[in-house]
Amino acid sequence: MQKAKLTTINDVAARAGVSYQTVSRVINQHPSVSKQALERVQEAIQALKYQPSNAARHLAKQQSAMIGVISYGTLHYGPAQTLASLEREAHELSYTLSNVNVTDLSFAQISAAIQTLRRQRVDGLIIFAPLIDIEHTDLESICADLPVVFTATEPQPKRAVTAIDQFTGARLGAQHLLQLGHQHIALLNGPLDWYDALLRQQGWLSALQRAGITPAADLESDWTAAGGYQQISALLESGTPFTGLLVANDQMALGALRALHQHNYKLPEDVSIVGFDDIPESAFLEPPLTTIHQDFAALAHQSLLQLKACMEHPNLKQHLRVLIPELIIRSSTTTPKQPFRGKK
Amino acid sequence: MQKAKLTTINDVAARAGVSYQTVSRVINQHPSVSKQALERVQEAIQALKYQPSNAARHLAKQQSAMIGVISYGTLHYGPAQTLASLEREAHELSYTLSNVNVTDLSFAQISAAIQTLRRQRVDGLIIFAPLIDIEHTDLESICADLPVVFTATEPQPKRAVTAIDQFTGARLGAQHLLQLGHQHIALLNGPLDWYDALLRQQGWLSALQRAGITPAADLESDWTAAGGYQQISALLESGTPFTGLLVANDQMALGALRALHQHNYKLPEDVSIVGFDDIPESAFLEPPLTTIHQDFAALAHQSLLQLKACMEHPNLKQHLRVLIPELIIRSSTTTPKQPFRGKK
DNA sequence: CGGTAATATGTGATCGTTCACATATTGTCA
DNA sequence: TGACAATATGTGAACGATCACATATTACCG
């Protein structure tokens, strides 16, 4: 093994001819260090390629400069973007991010993830996973007095939450279709154990109800293009009439487009589609996709800011921070050709 | 602040009525612990919600159970997938991953990233970024005796490298087009400061040269659909004749498809397109995209295995591990209608 | 020149673990 | 029953940094 024993603060002190405490002062930029000592210590650090050990520092300081993240579904666009932004933002605040990705939303996995992060003595925690089934009391017992920010999850009483308003997003999409004159509007949603999906369903329903319109169809799929393709193919073959379609992410919308093309539908004349997320490819689909833009970088930024507030003022009451998504109109939506149409 | 002082091994020992060392033995599953002591310690751990401090453990053990990753461009599909897989794999080997994402490939950033990870005393390092301009001697000086695995980078003498064979991948794509009878084949590549892009260019060129065919065009873009759209639009407007197009990732291919549709090209009759990566959406594009499949999960798996080997046998000479990508034929490629065609 | 403050440096204890070693207890067999 | 091994437990030092405090040096002002 490489038992080469890494250089320590003492090695540097010895070489510079000062005490270890002086070296510590140089590292931490304490003002009371003479110019001579400073130079000699810096020279020694360079020469010995000294790097202070975070572990030792954390132990002594009783804080880790680490932020824990519990993430879910990071292979999907939204979570992946958020996580990447989170990492960048954290680095700018000179925090290190420690990410644990859970593969399901069971209490067992969530609690194991929290334990892992508590061992690392993270200074704060961002839970970036839908937690529909978790009891608040259970969470309280594991998180203890760790500062936590939730996102993508249902409102937690007394807990800090930063989220993009999915309800409003879906409503914007549905309203756009309604304003164009669509009367038969279907929803292709993601899995309902994602809280985001639940909220989008509610927003869509709310818009339709307010307009006095009955939903044409309410489908659930798995966020993938394949799933979207499958569901819309089935819907078309079932003969259910619809002219407007709200899809809960752009990948499924892509699959839906394919299904519609295969069934010789003309787009957007025959069916208008609104996606969700505004992935970079959306503007280049056939036809370019009208969609609900979500600012994941802003979500990351805000949740980190909120976590910082939690860490600095642990007793401050935290409120809900909400980001509003934006409707991006492209050419996949238009006025319906006929007020009503069935199977082609 | 929450100066509540977390519970330590001593608190557990006191409650269980044993010495701290016995508690340590329980934590580390040492065999020589009596059944009674074991039970009492476990009870105390439960009751006090004790979690051992990783920082203290690492300090004492002189190893961190952390693996550092230096990543680049994680907002793109390939890197994002690899990173996510890496995290999952590392967790399975009960390592923690510490990721630093660099925003450019300057020596300054790479070396800062390595310093950050050295401070964390990572046990090993996976450099998952193209390092075309970095001198080997510079790297040697920073990495010192840290076990390192490179990937997505040019072969390093004496260093461990795991990579997907991009040269072969591009050649497979080009050969497919050649076998269909295409004579005018263009390449739409990613930025050439990615080593992957460079290798794909070489593989494509090599296949064409072997067939005695001159390249129709050699374009460089930025991996995005927007970039691909722009470049292919320009190519079409320039009137350069081509019937086959190899694109270095599927997002750019998506943009290229859009450009071709807009110019009223019939696909695949007028132009055959081969993508790269096989993103989940590829099968649902218009038309479904023939592409080169890359197994990013396997890449992550292999590089971690190799790193483990490096860590366990530091003096073992490491070789180059290569994964071979696979051609997935869908309907975006067919025989050329005419042996030659210019601007439409 | 004495006194007080500001600056510069050093010493011992501490953070929460593990390791090496010492010691106490139990078991097994001649 | 005595001897020796195996099992079980405890003690002090170490890991590499920071903190609180003590001390030495320099600076300034009346």
Side-chain angles (χ1 to χ4, degrees):
Chain A
M1 300 292 162
Q2 11 97 267
K3 275 286 148 208
K5 238 188 162 187
L6 292 170
T7 61
T8 76
I9 204 172
N10 289 302
D11 302 328
V12 175
R15 188 180 217 269
V18 296
S19 79
Y20 55 83
Q21 183 57 25
T22 304
V23 177
S24 174
R25 288 194 180 98
V26 171
I27 297 168
N28 295 292
Q29 311 188 49
H30 188 99
S32 295
V33 177
S34 71
K35 206 177 167 190
Q36 303 168 28
L38 184 80
E39 277 168 8
R40 290 172 65 190
V41 169
Q42 282 175 335
E43 184 277 334
I45 288 176
Q46 289 279 323
L48 300 174
K49 287 176 196 161
Y50 166 72
Q51 294 283 4
S53 153
N54 273 347
R57 173 174 264 169
H58 298 164
L59 189 57
K61 288 228 276 208
Q62 291 291 75
Q63 57 159 346
S64 64
M66 275 196 192
I67 289 176
V69 175
I70 296 181
S71 60
Y72 178 61
T74 45
L75 294 185
H76 296 293
Y77 176 78
Q81 292 291 310
T82 313
L83 191 59
S85 302
L86 230 31
E87 203 247 310
R88 205 171 42 76
E89 293 273 349
H91 237 84
E92 267 167 35
L93 300 174
S94 50
Y95 277 100
T96 298
L97 217 64
S98 187
N99 174 41
V100 177
N101 192 42
V102 295
T103 54
D104 69 66
L105 299 169
S106 63
F107 182 69
Q109 279 227 17
I110 298 285
S111 104
I114 294 181
Q115 281 201 0
T116 302
L117 293 171
R118 291 197 62 132
R119 287 201 178 161
Q120 308 210 45
R121 297 289 189 267
V122 292
D123 294 335
L125 190 57
I126 295 180
I127 298 190
F128 172 48
L131 296 179
I132 294 180
D133 293 334
I134 309 289
E135 294 288 330
H136 300 153
T137 48
D138 291 339
L139 269 184
E140 292 293 332
S141 80
I142 331 177
C143 291
D145 45 17
L146 195 62
V148 184
V149 169
F150 290 86
T151 179
T153 191
E154 81 189 302
Q156 304 280 325
K158 298 185 187 173
R159 289 294 196 175
V161 177
T162 303
I164 297 177
D165 187 344
Q166 306 297 337
F167 183 91
T168 299
R171 222 180 33 173
L172 284 175
Q175 281 174 349
H176 175 57
L177 291 169
L178 288 167
Q179 279 164 13
L180 288 169
H182 291 270
Q183 306 258 328
H184 301 274
I185 301 178
L187 172 69
L188 172 55
N189 208 346
L192 285 173
D193 57 350
W194 289 61
Y195 193 61
D196 286 3
L198 206 65
L199 283 178
R200 286 174 200 167
Q201 184 183 43
Q202 289 172 7
W204 166 75
L205 257 178
S206 151
L208 294 200
Q209 281 172 355
R210 191 166 299 185
I213 282 185
T214 351
D218 186 353
L219 308 172
E220 183 179 344
S221 187
D222 63 357
W223 299 129
T224 70
Y229 172 78
Q230 219 169 12
Q231 286 289 330
I232 296 304
S233 295
L235 180 66
L236 292 173
E237 274 149 29
S238 78
T240 312
F242 70 102
T243 64
L245 177 60
L246 178 63
V247 188
N249 81 346
D250 289 350
Q251 279 82 7
M252 292 193 298
L254 194 154
L257 290 177
R258 172 71 184 156
L260 288 159
H261 282 134
Q262 271 197 335
H263 285 74
N264 293 314
Y265 278 68
K266 272 217 176 319
L267 302 181
E269 293 81 4
D270 292 339
V271 174
S272 287
I273 302 191
V274 178
F276 222 111
D277 281 357
D278 193 25
I279 64 176
E281 289 78 32
S282 295
F284 302 92
L285 299 182
E286 272 334 307
L289 191 65
T290 294
T291 191
I292 311 292
H293 177 84
Q294 303 203 66
D295 192 342
F296 295 109
L299 177 65
H301 184 69
Q302 285 299 322
S303 41
L304 219 51
L305 278 188
Q306 195 171 18
L307 182 59
K308 220 180 143 196
C310 286
M311 296 191 303
E312 282 162 9
H313 314 286
N315 296 321
L316 199 71
K317 207 187 156 216
Q318 292 296 335
H319 48 278
L320 174 69
R321 296 193 190 186
V322 176
L323 304 174
I324 304 297
E326 190 190 348
L327 174 70
I328 308 285
I329 300 178
R330 299 206 180 92
S331 30
S332 71
T333 44
T334 186
T335 50
K337 230 177 15 188
Q338 307 148 335
F340 207 112
R341 56 191 320 287
K343 187 172 182 176
K344 192 139 191 172
Chain B
M1 299 292 164
Q2 10 95 268
K3 274 288 150 211
K5 239 187 163 188
L6 292 171
T7 61
T8 76
I9 206 172
N10 289 301
D11 303 327
V12 176
R15 188 179 216 269
V18 296
S19 79
Y20 54 83
Q21 183 57 29
T22 304
V23 178
S24 174
R25 288 195 180 97
V26 171
I27 297 169
N28 295 291
Q29 309 187 52
H30 188 98
S32 296
V33 177
S34 72
K35 208 179 167 191
Q36 303 166 28
L38 184 80
E39 277 167 9
R40 290 170 64 190
V41 168
Q42 283 176 334
E43 184 277 334
I45 287 176
Q46 289 280 323
L48 300 174
K49 286 176 195 160
Y50 167 72
Q51 294 284 5
S53 153
N54 273 346
R57 171 173 266 166
H58 298 164
L59 188 58
K61 289 228 276 208
Q62 292 290 75
Q63 57 160 340
S64 65
M66 275 194 191
I67 290 176
V69 175
I70 297 181
S71 61
Y72 179 61
T74 45
L75 293 185
H76 296 293
Y77 176 78
Q81 292 290 310
T82 313
L83 190 58
S85 302
L86 228 32
E87 202 247 310
R88 206 172 42 75
E89 294 274 348
H91 238 84
E92 265 167 37
L93 299 173
S94 51
Y95 277 101
T96 298
L97 216 65
S98 188
N99 173 42
V100 177
N101 191 43
V102 294
T103 54
D104 68 68
L105 299 169
S106 62
F107 181 69
Q109 279 227 17
I110 298 286
S111 103
I114 294 181
Q115 283 201 0
T116 301
L117 294 171
R118 291 197 62 133
R119 286 199 178 163
Q120 308 211 44
R121 298 288 189 266
V122 292
D123 294 335
L125 191 57
I126 295 180
I127 298 190
F128 172 49
L131 297 179
I132 295 182
D133 293 334
I134 310 288
E135 294 289 331
H136 300 154
T137 49
D138 292 339
L139 269 184
E140 292 294 331
S141 80
I142 331 177
C143 291
D145 45 16
L146 195 62
V148 184
V149 169
F150 290 86
T151 179
T153 191
E154 79 188 304
Q156 304 280 326
K158 298 186 188 175
R159 290 293 196 175
V161 176
T162 303
I164 297 177
D165 187 344
Q166 306 298 338
F167 183 92
T168 299
R171 222 181 32 172
L172 284 174
Q175 281 174 349
H176 175 56
L177 290 170
L178 288 166
Q179 278 164 12
L180 288 170
H182 290 270
Q183 307 258 331
H184 301 273
I185 302 178
L187 171 68
L188 173 55
N189 207 346
L192 285 174
D193 57 352
W194 291 61
Y195 194 62
D196 286 3
L198 206 64
L199 283 177
R200 287 175 200 166
Q201 184 183 43
Q202 289 171 8
W204 166 75
L205 257 178
S206 150
L208 294 200
Q209 281 172 354
R210 190 165 300 183
I213 282 185
T214 351
D218 185 354
L219 308 172
E220 183 178 345
S221 187
D222 63 357
W223 298 128
T224 70
Y229 172 78
Q230 220 170 10
Q231 288 288 330
I232 296 303
S233 294
L235 180 66
L236 292 173
E237 275 149 28
S238 78
T240 310
F242 70 102
T243 64
L245 177 59
L246 178 63
V247 188
N249 81 346
D250 288 352
Q251 279 82 7
M252 292 193 298
L254 193 153
L257 290 177
R258 172 70 184 157
L260 288 160
H261 281 136
Q262 272 197 334
H263 286 74
N264 293 314
Y265 278 68
K266 274 217 176 314
L267 303 181
E269 294 80 4
D270 293 339
V271 175
S272 287
I273 302 191
V274 178
F276 222 111
D277 281 356
D278 193 24
I279 64 175
E281 290 77 33
S282 295
F284 302 92
L285 299 182
E286 283 316 321
L289 192 65
T290 294
T291 189
I292 311 293
H293 178 85
Q294 303 203 65
D295 192 342
F296 295 109
L299 177 65
H301 184 71
Q302 285 300 321
S303 41
L304 219 51
L305 279 188
Q306 194 172 18
L307 182 59
K308 220 181 142 195
C310 286
M311 296 191 304
E312 282 161 10
H313 314 286
N315 297 321
L316 199 70
K317 206 187 158 214
Q318 293 296 335
H319 47 277
L320 174 68
R321 295 193 190 188
V322 175
L323 303 174
I324 305 297
E326 189 189 348
L327 174 69
I328 309 284
I329 299 178
R330 299 207 180 91
S331 30
S332 71
T333 45
T334 186
T335 50
K337 232 176 14 188
Q338 307 148 334
F340 206 114
R341 56 189 319 287
K343 187 171 182 176
K344 192 141 192 170

